[in-house]
């Protein structure tokens, strides 16, 4: 399929201007900046390539800012000529430069391009800082870069760079009133080096710490003593999140909790903290982890919340307790339960923190469903909302990535996708069953619950009864 419908193709085989790439930039972003330099629309410049599919878009319409392109050899040569930069320099700067795909094979050496979603190529894509782009290129234009989630602070300009995969208008959050977030970015470098010395991959340590803190973030609605995060959230929202608090809690979360994520990562790498876990477990005399254990109490102190320890210790299904269990089993030389790993940095799928894009999609669907915005939130605890959001996010991201590839799923891709969707469907089913039981136990009429889940009341009654029998209730 040739998705190109434009007859006019500008002759830019030899570039007039030199447009240098930005380190980590997406190829699609570079093409867009070249178009701006030549005073034309990006879609006009893209007509110089033959396209095998269409640009990926958001579910509700609109182009994805994290869209990426892969080019064949002729297409890469053409791009190098257009921007006046040697191919080896482009190869070092553009993460997707050497990516190949069977659909890029073309006859007669034609320049061919293929659209993908950035997250499916190299990793998460974030908006670049426009002020930094202007400083490097002379033009304050939008640029997208592959940027890990632990490197989102522009220290020079005090900005938090947001994910580019979400359908929302902001590119960054202002951190000029939050020096602790900027300081955490500087501190992360030393934490990452510490992880390497400990034989751990920094990205896995960060992912675990982020999952722990994101879990606290969802629970913090009920923490009367929590004052730090609300202050930061209102700050990044321009002074007051106002009536749009739920959206700001999604958009601002990663920036607001970043200092705590770095602090938790540092704590989990500390051998002295692991020793406290061992002591709390009874050491040579195994016992249940206490609610007032020294590890959780010390962890709360390290994140500036001396009262947090008992709350963290009571979250038995979370990633922090899972990490503690791995530390204890390794110390005792014991194997883990079936399906579990003793690697302390192994993060179970259900513990991954939901992305901004996934949460915004769920929030948008809630608002579109008549009445569901209030009823669903009243009936579903924050923990279960996070659980459901994570499952939906995982499934939808896989579908979007596959849609963006548009190469036709191979048996291996289809098998992984279906397994992932099956797992997510099971998580969602378990979550809504628990929610339905909680609603009924809380006094909501069964007829009303049946209407919410769009199920005949007799079927729902039998399902919940059978579920209670299986659980021994």
């Amino acid at each position: 399929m040739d998705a190109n419908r434009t007859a006019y193709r500008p002759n830019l085989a030899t570039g007039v201007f030199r447009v240098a790439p930005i380190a980590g930039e997406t190829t699609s972003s570079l093409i867009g900046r070249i178009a701006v330099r030549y005073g034309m629309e990006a879609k006009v410049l893209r007509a110089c390539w033959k396209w095998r599919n269409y640009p990926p878009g958001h579910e509700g319409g609109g182009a994805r800012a994290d869209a990426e392109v892969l080019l064949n050899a002729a297409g890469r040569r053409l791009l190098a000529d257009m921007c006046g930069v040697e191919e080896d320099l482009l190869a070092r700067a553009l993460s997707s430069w050497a990516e190949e795909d069977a659909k890029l094979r073309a006859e007669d050496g034609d320049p061919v391009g293929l659209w993908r979603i950035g997250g499916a190529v190299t990793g998460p894509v974030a908006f670049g800082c426009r002020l930094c782009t202007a400083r490097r290129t002379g033009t304050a234009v939008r640029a997208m870069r592959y940027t890990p989630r632990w490197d989102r602070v522009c220290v020079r300009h005090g900005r938090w760079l947001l994910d580019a995969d979400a359908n929302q208008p902001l590119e960054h959050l202002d951190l000029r009133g939050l020096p602790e977030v900027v300081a955490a970015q500087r501190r992360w470098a030393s934490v990452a080096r510490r992880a390497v010395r400990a034989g751990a991959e920094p990205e896995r340590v960060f992912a675990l710490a982020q999952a722990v803190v994101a879990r606290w973030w969802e629970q913090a609605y009920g923490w009367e003593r929590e004052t730090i995060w609300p202050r930061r959230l209102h700050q990044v929202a321009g002074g007051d999140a106002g009536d749009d608090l739920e959206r700001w809690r999604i958009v601002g979360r990663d920036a607001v909790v970043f200092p705590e994520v770095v602090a938790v990562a540092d704590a989990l790498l500390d051998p002295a903290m692991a020793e406290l876990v061992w002591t709390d477990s009874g050491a040579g005399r195994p016992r249940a982890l206490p609610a007032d254990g020294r590890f959780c109490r010390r962890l709360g102190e390290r994140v500036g919340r001396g009262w947090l320890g008992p709350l963290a210790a009571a979250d038995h299904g979370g990633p922090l307790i899972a990490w503690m269990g791995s530390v204890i089993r390794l110390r005792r030389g014991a194997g883990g339960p079936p399906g579990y790993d003793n690697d302390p940095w192994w993060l179970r799928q259900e513990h991954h923190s939901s992305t901004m894009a996934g949460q915004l999609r769920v929030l948008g669907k809630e608002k579109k469903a008549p009445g569901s915005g209030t009823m669903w939130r009243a009936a579903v605890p924050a923990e279960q909302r996070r659980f459901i959001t994570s499952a939906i996010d995982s499934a939808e991201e896989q579908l979007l990535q596959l849609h963006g590839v548009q190469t036709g799923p191979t048996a291996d891709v289809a098998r992984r996708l279906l397994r992932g969707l099956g797992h997510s469907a099971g998580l969602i089913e378990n979550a809504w069953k628990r929610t339905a039981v909680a609603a009924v136990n809380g006094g909501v009429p069964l007829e009303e619950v049946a209407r919410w889940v769009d199920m005949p009341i007799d079927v729902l009654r039998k399902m919940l009864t059978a579920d209670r029998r299986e659980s021994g209730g």
Side-chain angles (χ1 to χ4, degrees):
M1 174 186 68
D2 188 346
N4 180 23
R5 295 290 185 266
T6 305
Y8 168 68
R9 293 189 178 188
N11 182 14
L12 293 175
T14 301
V16 177
F17 301 111
R18 187 179 189 275
V19 183
I22 300 171
E25 187 174 14
T26 67
T27 304
S28 175
S29 173
L30 176 59
I31 292 175
R33 290 198 300 111
I34 294 172
V36 171
R37 189 71 177 89
Y38 282 93
M40 63 176 65
E41 294 184 15
K43 64 180 180 180
V44 177
L45 181 62
R46 291 198 298 262
C48 294
W49 288 269
K50 292 182 178 180
W51 297 94
R52 296 308 186 202
N53 59 351
Y54 295 95
H58 291 289
E59 183 179 340
R64 291 181 63 120
D66 68 331
E68 176 62 298
V69 297
L70 305 183
L71 303 175
N72 68 347
R76 293 194 292 268
R77 287 194 298 270
L78 177 59
L79 180 60
D81 290 338
M82 282 183 178
C83 61
V85 175
E86 298 77 9
E87 286 194 49
D88 59 343
L89 177 59
L90 291 175
R92 291 195 297 270
L94 304 179
S95 301
S96 67
W97 185 257
E99 294 288 332
E100 295 287 349
D101 191 281
K103 280 204 159 189
L104 289 176
R105 300 193 185 98
E107 299 178 1
D108 301 326
D110 288 333
V112 178
L114 180 71
W115 287 99
R116 297 284 297 275
I117 292 175
V121 176
T122 299
V125 178
F127 293 102
C129 174
R130 291 201 183 216
L131 297 179
C132 288
T133 302
R135 182 171 174 268
R136 294 168 184 166
T137 68
T139 308
V141 296
R142 190 175 80 167
M144 270 66 67
R145 299 175 59 234
Y146 290 103
T147 311
R149 302 192 189 282
W150 58 80
D151 191 24
R152 293 298 178 85
V153 177
C154 174
V155 175
R156 179 184 295 274
H157 299 111
R159 292 179 169 185
W160 179 272
L161 307 176
L162 290 167
D163 289 340
D165 61 344
N167 190 13
Q168 60 88 32
L170 297 176
E171 295 183 13
H172 71 271
L173 301 176
D174 191 345
L175 300 178
R176 286 176 294 180
L178 298 174
E180 65 269 33
V181 179
V182 179
Q185 181 69 84
R186 294 191 176 98
R187 184 184 177 192
W188 168 252
S190 64
V191 176
R193 289 192 295 269
R194 185 175 189 175
V196 173
R197 290 195 299 270
E201 299 174 22
E203 55 268 29
R204 298 182 67 204
V205 175
F206 182 87
L208 178 61
Q210 185 182 49
V212 170
V213 179
R215 181 107 166 178
W216 292 346
W217 174 260
E218 289 296 333
Q219 298 166 352
Y221 256 143
W223 293 352
E224 295 182 0
R225 301 177 68 177
E226 178 56 51
T227 60
I228 300 174
W229 284 344
R231 176 186 62 82
R232 289 185 196 156
L233 183 61
H234 288 299
Q235 183 73 30
V236 299
D240 186 1
D243 296 333
D244 208 11
L245 178 62
E246 191 64 23
R247 187 183 73 86
W248 277 112
R249 274 182 55 82
I250 295 172
V251 175
R253 182 199 67 182
D254 289 350
V256 169
V257 305
F258 187 61
E260 285 73 24
V261 171
V262 175
V264 169
D266 190 35
L268 299 185
L269 287 166
D270 189 347
M273 293 294 286
E275 188 64 30
L276 291 180
V277 174
W278 177 242
T279 301
D280 287 341
S281 72
R285 296 182 176 181
R287 67 181 181 188
L289 292 171
D292 60 345
R294 295 174 61 192
F295 168 79
C296 286
R297 186 165 64 249
R298 180 63 184 133
L299 183 63
E301 294 170 355
R302 291 182 70 149
V303 296
R305 295 162 177 82
W307 46 266
L308 180 58
L311 296 176
D315 187 16
H316 299 294
L320 182 62
I321 300 298
W323 177 85
M324 296 170 68
S326 296
V327 170
I328 295 167
R329 289 193 298 271
L330 283 172
R331 188 70 176 266
R332 290 178 179 160
Y340 287 72
D341 198 326
N342 275 349
D343 178 3
W345 311 113
W346 179 63
L347 187 61
R348 288 154 52 183
Q349 180 64 36
E350 61 268 28
H351 288 159
H352 282 269
S353 57
S354 301
T355 65
M356 178 176 68
Q359 292 183 85
L360 287 176
R361 284 198 299 269
V362 173
L363 182 63
K365 291 174 182 177
E366 289 177 23
K367 291 183 177 180
K368 291 178 182 178
S372 65
T374 55
M375 290 189 299
W376 192 67
R377 290 185 179 281
V380 184
E383 178 182 345
Q384 293 188 14
R385 290 205 306 270
R386 182 202 60 80
F387 194 65
I388 295 171
T389 299
S390 178
I392 294 174
D393 185 28
S394 176
E396 289 197 358
E397 278 302 316
Q398 292 179 73
L399 285 172
L400 285 170
Q401 290 178 10
L402 188 59
H403 173 71
V405 176
Q406 291 185 350
T407 59
T410 63
D412 184 54
V413 172
R415 181 168 57 253
R416 290 200 306 268
L417 176 62
L418 290 174
R419 284 177 178 174
L421 292 176
H423 177 66
S424 298
L427 297 180
I428 295 172
E429 181 179 0
N430 290 334
W432 79 253
K433 281 183 180 179
R434 291 198 302 271
T435 303
V437 171
V440 173
N441 291 342
V444 179
L446 190 62
E447 296 83 356
E448 186 72 3
V449 177
R451 184 173 65 83
W452 291 352
V453 298
D454 192 23
M455 180 178 292
I457 186 172
D458 292 339
V459 176
L460 178 61
R461 181 182 292 110
K462 291 179 180 178
M463 185 173 294
L464 296 182
T465 302
D467 191 56
R468 283 199 299 271
R469 285 199 300 266
E470 292 175 2
S471 301

